[in-house]
Amino acid sequence: MADVPNDAPEHCPGTSSDQAGKSSACQGSPDPAIEEIRQKLTSVKHKILVLSGKGGVGKSTFSAHLSHALARDDSKEVALLDVDICGPSIPKIMGLEGERVHQSGSGWSPVYVEDNLAVMSIGFLLSSPDDAVIWRGPKKNGMIKQFLRDVDWGEVDYLIVDAPPGTSDEHLSIVQYLRGAGIDGAVVITTEASLQDVRKEIRFCKKVKIPVIGVIENMSGFVCPKCKNTSQIFPPTSGGAQRMCEELNLPLLGRVPLDPRIGRSCDEGRSFLTEVRDSPAAVAYQNIIIISHPNPSKHL
């Protein structure tokens, strides 16, 4: 066959075939890092992805405070991995700006917020928070591989993975490398203004066979910090996340209202679950996250 390259593997269907790129002969050798990561993460019980269809919906804020909430149980070990390579905001939200990663005999040591809450982000590898990460896909994928394979996570009950918005290189890498280790599922964050984009994220999860644990509607109303009343700033015009979840047969885990104090707590690197316990947003988080449940990944 003229369209079969000279160095092609046996049974190659040829570049002009409908099976090009699809047959088993096109798959090549599996990345050995997949098995290395599977073995490395045998000590991690639950792995949860936090995804969004677009940026600015509060995904990293949720990831950070899910980690804080889980770590309130002193008997649980929690790890937060920031794989938003070009826009790492976790170090600031967690109050860890300026921290550095240290190398040990067993690998990279994550940065600890508390004795039972470890964090890893490319932000710890930059000389300044203002440094731009200008990388193509392969280099970003290599960084994610290192985070999963080379970080000494130790015995961990929950690994929360904060992914960048969209359905691109980083998402494919994290799914590829974690598939063997087992992914409990994904929590998808949306707002009223991003429902169309979040549908694409949910479609992505179905295509790569990641269970969707549920959807959280963020910025659902505005809480006045003085009178504590909640006002609808973005009234749902299409039924909101509730209707979308009904159409897609997915659970709506909860709605979190806007509260200016949340942003201030994140800027100061503090958990607003502790700083503003009286906020309806904090109450909404507590209703979403059931810490005492033996497997929060079943229903956060």
Side-chain angles (χ1 to χ4, degrees), residues 14-170:
T15 56
S16 300
S17 169
D18 291 339
Q19 293 302 308
K22 300 177 182 178
S23 75
S24 58
C26 302
Q27 302 307 311
S29 301
D31 187 339
I34 295 175
E35 176 59 20
E36 293 170 358
I37 290 169
R38 187 194 68 78
Q39 294 181 16
K40 182 81 172 184
L41 297 184
T42 54
S43 61
V44 179
K45 294 179 181 177
H46 301 294
K47 306 159 195 76
I48 301 171
L49 307 184
V50 181
L51 307 174
S52 68
K54 68 188 309 171
V57 300
K59 171 185 54 57
S60 295
T61 298
F62 177 81
S63 298
H65 289 89
L66 170 61
S67 303
H68 274 300
L70 292 171
R72 283 186 172 183
D73 184 345
D74 293 336
S75 69
K76 303 299 182 185
E77 296 292 330
V78 182
L80 173 58
L81 173 59
D82 180 6
V83 296
D84 192 343
I85 303 299
C86 294
S89 56
I90 288 297
K92 184 175 184 64
I93 295 174
M94 300 298 283
L96 297 174
E97 277 192 317
E99 295 288 343
R100 291 289 177 264
V101 172
H102 299 285
Q103 186 82 27
S104 68
S106 54
W108 286 351
S109 299
V111 178
Y112 281 83
V113 185
E114 301 168 17
D115 289 342
N116 64 333
L117 177 51
V119 180
M120 178 56 72
S121 169
I122 194 174
F124 301 142
L125 305 177
L126 304 177
S127 59
S128 166
D130 297 330
D131 285 352
V133 179
I134 309 172
W135 289 356
R136 295 187 185 275
K139 194 166 184 180
K140 290 191 287 186
N141 298 345
M143 187 81 265
I144 292 172
K145 182 192 300 186
Q146 280 193 274
F147 281 155
L148 294 172
R149 183 188 60 193
D150 299 342
V151 173
D152 182 17
W153 295 110
E155 296 288 333
V156 172
D157 292 285
Y158 303 104
L159 173 63
I160 309 301
V161 181
D162 180 41
T167 55
S168 193
D169 290 323
E170 294 93 330

Side-chain angles (χ1 to χ4, degrees), residues 56-58 61-62 65 191 217-234 255-268 270-285:
V57 300
T61 298
F62 177 81
H65 289 89
T191 65
E217 186 176 56
N218 204 14
M219 307 182 196
S220 179
F222 169 76
V223 178
C224 175
K226 294 188 179 296
C227 68
K228 305 297 189 296
N229 287 330
T230 302
S231 304
Q232 288 294 330
I233 295 181
F234 307 113
R255 296 182 174 91
V256 180
L258 277 167
D259 187 327
R261 295 173 295 179
I262 295 175
R264 185 171 65 247
S265 294
C266 291
D267 286 342
E268 295 172 353
R270 303 174 183 272
S271 169
F272 79 84
L273 298 178
T274 302
E275 296 293 308
V276 287
R277 295 174 183 268
D278 62 326
S279 169
V283 174
Y285 263 82

Side-chain angles (χ1 to χ4, degrees), residues 190-201:
T190 188
T191 65
E192 171 62 26
S194 64
L195 289 173
Q196 185 59 50
D197 297 284
V198 87
R199 286 176 180 269
K200 299 173 185 176
E201 197 76 27

